[in-house]
Amino acid sequence: MSTSGKLQVGLLFGGQSGEHEVSIRSAQAIARGLAGNAEKYQLCPFYIQKNGHWSEPELSAQVLATGQPVANETRRTSFQFPASAAAVDVWFPILHGPNGEDGTIQGLLRLMGKPFVGAGVLASAAGMDKIAMKTLFAAAELPQVRYLALTRGQWQSQTDHWLARVETELAYPCFVKPANLGSSVGIAKVRNRAQLQSALDSAASYDRRLIVEAGVTAREIECAVLGNEQAQASVLGEITYRSDFYDYETKYTEGLADLIIPAAVPEDLSQRLRKLAVQAFEAVDGAGLARVDFFYVEATGEVFINEINTMPGFTSTSMYPQLWEATGLSFTALVDRLVQLALAGD
């Protein structure tokens, strides 16, 4: 705790994933939220450069101010952090993607012996790995679309087998995804064999574990979850867009997607999805926060859980904070609640 009696909040952002710039934007919003709680918290920012170098708070504050990444500096020796990191009371790792929300940084923070916002190692790893996630959802008997999981080695050694299997068991259209990337990176919608082969080749360049999911004609509904042992679900939101699917550009470019909050769905469906969102959170052993995404097939009334995101974005276009705003929790109050949940869950 600082000499002023305020809790030192270590805001950890940037990172080595392809979502580096998104993390900076999320961190800017979190910093504003902490400023709204200035009587309780003192911001101590730590920017992780793309080469893994942990920047001092002074340079980190400059990145927050400009919103621009900096050129890589000389890399520190492994596990050598800025001296000011020792004064942090609670960490807020607003990192997205691999080496950010996949359990790696969570394990490091656990070893450092300080509480941190968000899920622990298990939930973070399961939330990032789509195959592990789907396995846990299946064990919890949560409804999911049909899918096939394979490795890069299986794809490269048995190409014709997997092409035929996808066509037989899933059919077109279907979605090809790397198992361990977020924000729609490396995902492709395919409608024929040539596209399928190209998409699997591309996905294999990102990750050694791959997944192919059956396509469904559905509305995309999202729900925010907040809490530890007694998690609560927000009102629902719906994403609409004009692109072929909700890809990276659509997700993070203002004006390309519309967020409808609250989603115009029947009340019984709303209650069902909110219950399923909490069940998904519990299935992966979530903590702090998560956003759960669903497919709602309006023609049949079917719902399928798509995925859980254990560290959702906090940018101006992000659904998570907007869902809580619509539920009655302001952004400043949300940030405060997340820090308090971190302290309570340690």
Side-chain angles (χ1 to χ4, degrees):
M1 187 171 290
S2 68
T3 55
S4 65
K6 300 177 182 179
L7 281 174
Q8 293 258 31
V9 181
L11 183 60
L12 199 54
F13 66 103
Q16 295 179 275
S17 82
E19 298 173 77
H20 185 96
E21 287 75 10
V22 176
S23 174
I24 294 174
R25 291 165 56 189
S26 289
Q28 289 177 310
I30 295 295
R32 291 191 293 270
L34 290 169
N37 291 286
E39 74 285 354
K40 298 169 65 174
Y41 307 126
Q42 182 171 319
L43 173 64
C44 193
F46 293 91
Y47 168 62
I48 301 179
Q49 298 179 30
K50 292 183 179 181
N51 66 352
H53 177 98
W54 286 44
S55 302
E56 297 284 356
E58 293 77 15
L59 176 59
S60 302
Q62 293 177 25
V63 176
L64 283 178
T66 64
Q68 297 300 315
V70 299
N72 290 336
E73 297 181 359
T74 303
R75 187 171 187 147
R76 295 179 186 273
T77 303
S78 295
F79 301 106
Q80 179 182 346
F81 308 116
S84 48
V88 169
D89 296 306
V90 57
W91 289 94
F92 201 131
I94 189 68
L95 295 158
H96 306 304
N99 294 321
E101 59 179 310
D102 60 356
T104 50
I105 198 72
Q106 288 74 19
L108 178 60
L109 296 177
R110 185 68 69 196
L111 287 173
M112 292 170 74
K114 294 294 177 68
F116 56 89
V117 171
V121 175
L122 173 63
S124 298
M128 176 58 61
D129 188 295
K130 295 178 177 64
I131 298 172
M133 179 198 307
K134 287 180 177 295
T135 301
L136 289 173
F137 287 165
E141 299 183 339
L142 298 172
Q144 303 181 80
V145 299
R146 290 173 293 115
Y147 69 93
L148 290 172
L150 64 156
T151 66
R152 178 192 295 141
Q154 288 174 322
W155 164 242
Q156 293 175 345
S157 64
Q158 300 175 290
T159 300
D160 290 340
H161 165 79
W162 284 101
L163 290 172
R165 190 171 172 187
V166 169
E167 291 175 335
T168 300
E169 298 183 30
L170 303 182
Y172 299 113
C174 56
F175 287 87
V176 175
K177 305 177 180 181
N180 283 282
L181 283 179
S183 286
S184 303
V185 175
I187 294 178
K189 183 178 183 179
V190 301
R191 296 180 174 83
N192 55 54
R193 176 169 283 213
Q195 291 178 355
L196 176 61
Q197 182 160 356
S198 176
L200 281 165
D201 285 339
S202 175
S205 71
Y206 288 103
D207 189 22
R208 59 172 292 275
R209 284 157 60 82
L210 317 172
I211 192 164
V212 187
E213 298 175 350
V216 292
T217 301
R219 294 166 62 182
E220 298 194 20
I221 309 294
E222 300 189 349
C223 183
V225 179
L226 179 66
N228 290 336
E229 293 292 332
Q230 302 295 325
Q232 297 177 309
S234 72
V235 300
L236 304 181
E238 181 173 5
I239 300 169
T240 62
Y241 45 86
R242 287 158 290 283
S243 56
D244 197 25
F245 70 98
Y246 198 41
D247 58 11
Y248 184 93
E249 181 182 6
T250 303
K251 185 171 293 187
Y252 291 112
T253 304
E254 291 195 44
L256 295 187
D258 295 316
L259 308 184
I260 303 170
I261 306 173
V265 297
E267 179 59 26
D268 60 339
L269 177 64
S270 176
Q271 292 300 323
R272 181 184 176 196
L273 292 183
R274 294 173 74 179
K275 182 178 179 180
L276 285 172
V278 173
Q279 290 175 343
F281 186 77
E282 293 171 344
V284 301
D285 192 30
L289 74 163
R291 193 196 68 238
V292 183
D293 303 345
F294 297 94
F295 295 130
Y296 168 43
V297 184
E298 195 168 17
T300 62
E302 293 175 292
V303 295
F304 301 101
I305 183 168
N306 180 24
E307 64 179 6
I308 188 169
N309 188 316
T310 57
M311 187 53 72
F314 275 80
T315 73
S316 60
T317 60
S318 297
M319 179 74 92
Y320 187 86
Q322 293 189 56
L323 287 173
W324 282 114
E325 186 85 38
T327 308
L329 193 64
S330 70
F331 192 95
T332 299
L334 174 61
V335 171
D336 177 49
R337 178 70 175 140
L338 288 169
V339 174
Q340 292 302 314
L341 284 168
L343 295 170
D346 183 47

